[in-house]
Amino acid sequence: MISNQILQNTIDGAKNITDKDYAVLDTDGIVLATTTNSADDYVKETIEFAESDMESQFNGPCNMYKIFDGGQLEFVLLAFGEGQDTTVGKIVAFQISELLVAYKERFDKDNFIKNLILDNMLLVDIYNRAKKLHIDIEARRVVMIVKFEEDKDGDELDRVRSIFGGRNKDFVTAVNESSIIVLKDLGENGTYEDVEKTAKVIIETFKDKKNTIRVSYGTIVSEIKEVSRSYKEAGMALDVGKIFFGEKEVIAYSVLGIGRLIYQLPIPLCKMFIKEIFEGKSPNQFDEETIMTINKFFENSLNVSETSRQLYIHRNTLVYRLDKLQKSTGLDLRVFEDAITFKIALMVVKYMDYMESQEF
């Protein structure tokens, strides 16, 4: 449904061009948009006109025009100061009528995209609706989710849509209060690099807001029936990214790695694994120095010399810390297999802590 703000912008523009006043009322005589205070004086006449068989009425000070949507009366346009020259009033009424058609088409497409990404349609319905709405069924697309950590202000959808301008192959819609969905058409040559750049542009668009913005995206799909899969992947990227890549504003499904597997593990199994590895202890009990040493050692691909250099400590000091860790856990991080086990254990603990925090 077209908003009152769009109606107001339309008649404001008409007034600027014609230097005449206009008002749009619904069939119950409620003023939806106006450029003059005189609109309230014509409520009774508007209701009577709406109930009549006439499509337009000319009475000098205020001419009236009916505006239909699919054969049903939607609005009444009041044009003030036209007199007998009704050309401009008819043009404004026609403009609003065309806006109704355009917004109805966009609403139909938005509705289709929502049902498509939420996997609420049968395959045959997907192809039939896409054909009717002139949406290409074989195109390279990717789903992006723009997540707002706090309540939205109200202009977020328009901001994101403005990024894509008049591209009629991209779709931007909202499925809940905290997220905006972008179904981006990548053409024949679009890459994940292009998607990453677009995500960063979206982030930049909201830099003036205090609200924390995160953008995720799934894998590129080539058929319209696979769009829901890309959406689910983008959703998982958001969740997994929040746990294991909290510092990233943009996260792709393709970089989740082993975090994607850990995210799907049941908590009892995770607790059993940690108990076996650390014998009832938890990595959370390690002191800050030990945690920093472990993280830096992993960052440098188990390279003792480079790690000690970046930590500004002697090589022997690092070796001492690793030996101490081996005695307390039974795992030698200098051994590749032990390092993998330890890294996974740390990620599992992080996952359990996150899931526990969600229960409160």
Side-chain angles (χ1 to χ4, degrees):
M1 182 61 173
I2 190 170
S3 69
N4 292 354
Q5 186 59 53
I6 297 296
L7 293 173
Q8 187 65 53
N9 292 343
T10 302
I11 61 175
D12 282 343
K15 179 178 180 178
N16 289 337
I17 295 171
T18 66
D19 200 28
K20 297 182 185 298
D21 283 306
Y22 303 91
V24 179
L25 288 74
D26 66 12
T27 54
D28 294 322
I30 297 175
V31 179
L32 305 176
T34 182
T35 63
T36 174
N37 295 327
S38 301
D40 292 327
D41 299 334
Y42 289 86
V43 171
K44 182 180 178 182
E45 288 87 341
T46 298
I47 296 173
E48 292 174 352
F49 171 61
E51 294 174 348
S52 72
D53 295 330
M54 296 183 294
E55 292 193 8
S56 56
Q57 179 175 299
F58 314 116
N59 60 4
C62 176
N63 293 335
M64 299 182 179
Y65 304 88
K66 288 182 179 178
I67 299 173
F68 295 89
D69 180 14
Q72 182 168 341
L73 180 60
E74 192 71 29
F75 304 124
V76 173
L77 172 70
L78 307 186
F80 296 87
E82 276 194 311
Q84 297 302 312
D85 185 4
T86 61
T87 304
V88 174
K90 288 179 180 178
I91 291 175
V92 176
F94 176 76
Q95 178 66 24
I96 295 175
S97 179
E98 288 299 294
L99 281 174
L100 284 175
V101 173
Y103 271 80
K104 185 176 181 180
E105 182 178 334
R106 192 172 84 175
F107 174 80
D108 287 343
K109 285 186 177 181
D110 279 357
N111 197 39
F112 170 73
I113 296 301
K114 285 178 184 178
N115 285 312
L116 178 65
I117 63 177
L118 294 175
D119 209 10
N120 289 338
M121 301 177 69
L122 297 174
L123 188 59
V124 65
D125 292 331
I126 291 175
Y127 288 118
N128 288 339
R129 290 285 293 155
K131 184 177 180 181
K132 186 175 290 187
L133 294 169
H134 307 291
I135 297 174
D136 193 355
I137 60 175
E138 292 184 354
R140 296 177 69 252
R141 298 182 175 97
V142 65
V143 175
M144 308 173 71
I145 300 178
V146 185
K147 177 74 172 180
F148 300 87
E149 297 301 321
E150 300 170 19
D151 292 338
K152 294 188 290 185
D153 293 335
D155 66 338
E156 288 82 0
L157 194 58
D158 289 334
R159 282 198 185 203
V160 177
R161 279 180 173 151
S162 69
I163 296 171
F164 299 92
R167 284 176 53 87
N168 57 8
K169 291 187 176 182
D170 295 325
F171 299 98
V172 181
T173 187
V175 294
N176 56 47
E177 290 298 318
S178 61
S179 303
I180 290 174
I181 311 301
V182 177
L183 178 57
K184 179 166 178 56
D185 186 291
L186 295 172
E188 295 181 2
N189 303 314
T191 64
Y192 285 109
E193 218 172 277
D194 298 323
V195 180
E196 188 80 12
K197 288 178 182 177
T198 301
K200 290 177 180 178
V201 170
I202 294 174
I203 293 290
E204 200 62 35
T205 303
F206 292 93
K207 283 300 183 183
D208 63 321
K209 299 270 189 179
K210 294 181 179 179
N211 204 336
T212 303
I213 312 295
R214 297 171 67 234
V215 179
S216 67
Y217 57 91
T219 55
I220 298 172
V221 297
S222 57
E223 288 190 33
I224 199 166
K225 66 180 181 180
E226 298 177 321
V227 165
S228 62
R229 173 167 62 82
S230 186
Y231 170 69
K232 290 171 185 174
E233 292 170 348
M236 178 175 281
L238 265 183
D239 294 336
V240 178
K242 194 171 185 178
I243 302 172
F244 302 116
F245 305 93
E247 72 286 353
K248 287 192 174 185
E249 293 179 313
V250 179
I251 183 72
Y253 177 79
S254 59
V255 303
L256 297 180
I258 198 170
R260 192 171 73 210
L261 298 177
I262 293 174
Y263 182 72
Q264 299 178 71
L265 293 175
I267 294 299
L269 186 62
C270 292
K271 290 182 178 179
M272 187 184 303
F273 173 70
I274 295 301
K275 185 176 181 181
E276 290 174 357
I277 297 299
F278 296 110
E279 298 180 352
K281 299 178 182 178
S282 171
N284 291 338
Q285 297 173 353
F286 295 147
D287 58 66
E288 187 176 340
E289 181 183 79
T290 301
I291 292 294
M292 183 175 63
T293 301
I294 293 169
N295 289 334
K296 189 61 69 175
F297 193 54
F298 283 138
E299 283 177 21
N300 290 289
S301 303
L302 314 185
N303 187 308
V304 174
S305 298
E306 183 60 24
T307 301
S308 59
R309 186 185 71 81
Q310 291 189 20
L311 288 174
Y312 302 103
I313 59 175
H314 194 277
R315 177 189 172 92
N316 291 341
T317 303
L318 176 59
V319 171
Y320 169 75
R321 291 181 185 177
L322 294 175
D323 287 341
K324 184 179 177 183
L325 186 64
Q326 181 184 4
K327 288 180 182 179
S328 64
T329 64
L331 297 172
D332 185 355
L333 299 193
R334 291 158 292 191
V335 177
F336 183 69
E337 187 175 337
D338 284 358
I340 290 177
T341 301
F342 200 97
K343 178 66 174 177
I344 292 174
L346 289 178
M347 294 179 71
V348 169
V349 169
K350 204 169 187 179
Y351 165 63
M352 289 194 303
D353 290 343
Y354 173 80
M355 296 304 292
E356 186 177 341
S357 70
Q358 299 304 297
E359 296 177 1
F360 297 98

